[in-house]
Amino acid sequence: MKLTSSAFIYGSQIPERYGYKFDNVNPPLKIENIPDDAISLVLIMDDPDAFSAVGKIWVHWTLWNISPHISEIPENSIPDDCVQGLTDFEEIGYGGPAPPDKKHTYIFKVFALDTILDLKEGCTRTQLETAMIGHIISEANLTGTFLP
């Protein structure tokens, strides 16, 4: 699989409008080469650099039960019938980059699964990742940096 965005290229600066303290809308994402046997997709966005500042990898967005027939998540939207989880902002839905101390790297990860997950809206990343165990058939990621 391959994950890209028309808003920024792999490893480059994520535009300010996608930041938590700015417009706080998700960037457009394109998913390519989804396996034919995928039943659903999962998307996780996190900030591993937050560990040095706040003592944990900060969760910015989780989505699951995304149809494997979609190839794009447009800006400021989510696919029909998918479910969103709780961020470390204690909110459901997208929470954009918000580095507390310096430039941080953000990772968007997409996973193709061989199942639909039986999880309710607002579940945590830990609950999501536990449910994914044994069901991942492919994955891809996209990284970007952010410093307002």
Side-chain angles (χ1 to χ4, degrees):
M1 284 195 316
K2 184 177 179 182
L3 183 62
T4 59
S5 177
S6 59
F8 64 97
I9 60 170
Y10 191 96
S12 71
Q13 174 83 7
I14 298 169
E16 273 190 354
R17 72 178 266 99
Y18 304 112
Y20 187 74
K21 296 176 182 173
F22 296 89
D23 292 343
N24 198 37
V25 296
N26 66 277
L29 298 171
K30 184 175 182 182
I31 307 165
E32 299 175 270
N33 304 323
I34 298 168
D36 291 337
D37 55 346
I39 304 297
S40 71
L41 303 175
V42 170
L43 181 73
I44 297 173
M45 176 194 172
D46 63 26
D47 172 5
D49 292 337
F51 192 85
S52 63
V54 296
K56 67 178 181 175
I57 295 172
W58 197 267
V59 177
H60 285 265
W61 197 22
T62 57
L63 288 167
W64 59 91
N65 294 344
I66 302 166
S67 169
H69 302 294
I70 68 121
S71 59
E72 188 172 353
I73 300 173
E75 178 180 279
N76 196 27
S77 70
I78 61 168
D80 291 338
D81 302 322
C82 73
V83 186
Q84 296 188 94
L86 190 66
T87 69
D88 282 325
F89 295 113
E90 296 295 322
E91 299 169 354
I92 293 173
Y94 177 81
D101 54 353
K102 61 184 191 267
K103 180 164 63 172
H104 283 212
T105 297
Y106 296 83
I107 306 173
F108 294 82
K109 304 170 198 167
V110 65
F111 302 88
L113 305 183
D114 65 2
T115 190
I116 297 286
L117 299 176
D118 185 22
L119 295 172
K120 295 186 185 301
E121 181 180 81
C123 286
T124 65
R125 176 191 183 150
T126 301
Q127 291 168 317
L128 174 58
E129 289 179 332
T130 298
M132 291 168 52
I133 293 173
H135 296 289
I136 299 170
I137 55 177
S138 186
E139 61 185 273
N141 70 63
L142 170 65
T143 65
T145 60
F146 193 83
L147 179 63

